[in-house]
Each structure stands twice: as structure tokens, then as C-alpha cells.
Amino acid sequence: MNDVLVQAYEAALPEYERLRDAAVAHTNALLDRSGLNIHHVTGRVKRPASLADKLLRKPGRYHALDEVTDLVAVRVITYFESDVQAVSRLVEAQFDVDWDHSIDKSRMHDPDRFGYMGVHYVVRPLGSGPDAAAFASHPFEIQIRSILQHAWAEIEHDLGYKNREAVPREVRRRFYRLAGLLEMADEEFMALDRLSKDYAATLPERVRDTPDSVYIDAQSVKYMLDHAPVHDLDAQVAAALNVLLLTGWPDPERPQRLAGLLQYVGVNSVGALQGELRRHGQEVVAFAGLLLPRLRESWTPAGGARPGTSLVHYALMRACANPALDPSEIVRLLDVPGTADTATLIASVRDAYAEATGFPLRQDGTAPV
């Protein structure tokens, strides 16, 4: 009987592969509509050899392929353990769940459980559309894990241990310890995520009331890009060049680079940055108007001035006035595209600074005190 089922499965494998692709597409569409931030979604079909092994381990249990519920599986990997529960609620609401074959492995063991596992559902799409029709006789499995649960499962599988009783006592003890550490790590990552979101939510109030207490970092810079004085100076630079200010510029790493640049030139708080830009804002605009035409290949492909251009030029001016700062480090932090080499970029910056301020640079490239 086992050989008959395996042969039938091998013959139908192309159909199961199509079902896998349909299951992944359907699951991805639901996740996209939900707005959940998922690490990745993958799909697989069971290998014939794995099916043969399963049939041998459970003799007499399966008499037809549609009784084997994990021939097609979708794996959803989340960033945090809390997201496992969010995806689980979505699956329960949007799929017809076969509860007799579904299991929450994260709750099935005692506190000293062997393993650190996620949730498995056997499902069919709801309704009567083409997705539901495709799985009328072939349900599929959805496995939901956090990244750390996934790491545990993959390593445990690679070590070849299938159950607690098969593991030597000393090895089992270390497994328990590791499972506890992974749970603690998942909880700490969730706490960090909450802290990060709380920090972002309170930024407007703290920047308004106590800007000197707000450190320069990626989140505070991202906020400043949309507010005075940074946004206003950016708009003035764009107007001076007769180009658009590219609001909503799709570069998630830009606030990080700008924060690193500001910290490198010695600006560590939002209050200090606001004060500097109020005092030197017009010099920054004039300097940008002189420098950017010299370096058109580094910014014109974008189609305009990118958010934070005033911060870039403020930092460049500060670097020109400080002999302790390394110009090549400034170029590295900026990650400037284009064809000009570092020496050409530095020479252009120094020439524009001398013209904007009226202070010729010394031979070492620094401004006179």
C-alpha cells in the first residue's frame, strides 16, 4: 500500500507543485492586505522519500493521499514571537481550519518542554472562488514561526533528534537551556520593538519641549527632515538650484547616514543642531548653491535635491573648519554616488567653502581661525 501511495504521489507531483505556488500566492496576498510586517514566506512540497519515510513510521494510518495533510506546506517566518500570534489570528479568520490536524506547538509542552516551536495549521481557503476550488481535495499546511523559533527548528532537525526520549540526558539538558534562552531573546526583541515605537511616538513632543535632551540618531533625523529648520533650509537649497525638493525620497538608510555624519562632526543633540542651523542657515544655502553645480553627477540623476541636503552641507562646512576631521571619512559617510574620485570631491568642497565664506583654506585644507 505504501509503495502505491508513493508512486501515485510521484505521478501527481507537478500538480502538488502548482498547489504550492497557489498556496504561497494566496497566503502572501492575505498578509499584504493585513499590513503585518513579515520576514518572509516560503512554500514546499514533501519529497517522495519523506512521504515514504512517514508512511513507514505510521503504518496503516494513511490509505489515500488526501489523508496526508502536509504534502503542501507554506512557512511564514515573522520577526517577533508576538507576530506569530497575529498571523495565527489572521489564518483562523481567513481560512477553513482543520482543527483535528492543527496544533499550537508553542503551548503543547510543559515549562521544561523539549523544543521551541511555532504553530501549524491545516487549512483550505474560504469561499467558492478559484483558490478554494484548487484545494477542494488537497488542504495545505501553514507553519508560523518567529525567526528564533525557525532557527531552533532548523538546527534541531539538522541534529537529527525527533523526540525527547531519543536524546541523551546531558544533551537534553542543554536543549532545555537553549530553548529558555531563545524564549528570553524573543521577549527582549519584542521589548526593543516596543521601545523603538514608543520612542518614535514621543519624538514630536520632546523635540518641541526639550530638544537638547533628544539625541541625534536615525529616528530623530528622520523626524527633522520633515520639520523646520531642516525642511525649510532644504527647500531653500532646492530653490537656489531651481530643482524640486524630493519629499518622500525612498532611501530608508539616508537618516542613518545623516545621523552618523552629524555625530562625526560633533553635533549630538537636536537642540544643538537647531541652534547651529538657525545661526548658519544662510551660509549653508549659499555653500550648497556653489558646491552642487560642481558635483552634478553625484545628485542630478535623482532628479532634484534629496531631503537632508542642508544637513549634508552644514556638516561639510563644519568639516572644512575643523582640522581634526578626516575628509575621506566624510565622503564615506555620505556614500556619494557619481564618477568623481575622493580627491576631486574634497577639492570641490574646499573650493566652494572658500568662495562661500571668503576664507581661503590653508594648504592643509583647513580654514583659518
Side-chain angles (χ1 to χ4, degrees), residues 136-154:
S137 59
H138 298 293
F140 64 96
E141 185 176 79
I142 296 181
Q143 305 169 0
I144 312 167
R145 301 170 177 167
S146 71
I147 289 176
L148 292 182
Q149 288 171 336
H150 182 59
W152 168 278
E154 291 296 295

Side-chain angles (χ1 to χ4, degrees), residues 1-216:
M1 180 64 180
N2 289 354
D3 291 342
V4 172
L5 287 178
V6 173
Q7 290 172 8
Y9 179 62
E10 288 178 327
L13 200 55
E15 175 62 20
Y16 282 101
E17 290 172 344
R18 285 192 291 272
L19 292 174
R20 173 201 59 201
D21 295 342
V24 169
H26 185 79
T27 304
N28 267 320
L30 288 176
L31 291 169
D32 288 344
R33 290 197 296 270
S34 74
L36 291 171
N37 186 22
I38 301 302
H39 185 262
H40 71 271
V41 177
T42 60
R44 66 117 180 100
V45 294
K46 186 177 280 297
R47 293 181 294 108
S50 296
L51 175 60
D53 179 62
K54 183 170 188 170
L55 296 174
L56 284 173
R57 286 187 286 107
K58 300 178 180 181
R61 179 170 177 177
Y62 301 106
H63 302 91
L65 287 178
D66 58 7
E67 296 176 358
V68 185
T69 58
D70 64 344
L71 294 177
V72 174
V74 173
R75 182 171 291 161
V76 180
I77 306 300
T78 69
Y79 286 100
F80 307 109
E81 195 276 334
S82 57
D83 292 331
V84 172
Q85 302 307 316
V87 176
S88 296
R89 290 192 295 269
L90 179 68
V91 168
E92 292 173 12
Q94 299 294 330
F95 288 93
D96 177 15
V97 178
D98 179 354
W99 292 105
D100 291 336
H101 296 94
S102 301
I103 190 167
D104 184 347
K105 293 188 176 183
S106 67
R107 299 180 182 179
M108 65 180 292
H109 296 293
D110 293 330
D112 64 345
R113 66 184 182 270
F114 178 74
Y116 182 48
M117 296 169 281
V119 184
H120 291 191
Y121 290 99
V122 175
V123 302
R124 289 182 176 87
L126 289 172
S128 56
D131 287 339
F135 293 96
S137 59
H138 298 293
F140 64 96
E141 185 176 79
I142 296 181
Q143 305 169 0
I144 312 167
R145 301 170 177 167
S146 71
I147 289 176
L148 292 182
Q149 288 171 336
H150 182 59
W152 168 278
E154 291 296 295
I155 294 172
E156 180 188 50
H157 181 270
D158 189 61
L159 291 173
Y161 293 122
K162 299 294 185 182
N163 57 66
R164 180 172 60 182
E165 289 71 24
V167 183
R169 287 181 60 86
E170 177 60 25
V171 175
R172 191 189 314 168
R173 187 175 71 86
R174 288 179 175 265
F175 265 119
Y176 289 152
R177 290 168 57 192
L178 182 57
L181 287 172
L182 287 175
E183 285 192 82
M184 291 175 62
D186 238 337
E187 291 171 359
E188 287 302 308
F189 278 126
M190 287 187 287
L192 287 172
D193 183 53
R194 288 192 298 270
L195 284 172
S196 181
K197 291 175 179 175
D198 291 344
Y199 177 81
T202 60
L203 265 176
E205 180 181 354
R206 290 187 294 114
V207 168
R208 183 190 67 226
D209 297 338
T210 57
D212 290 329
S213 70
V214 181
Y215 289 103
I216 292 294

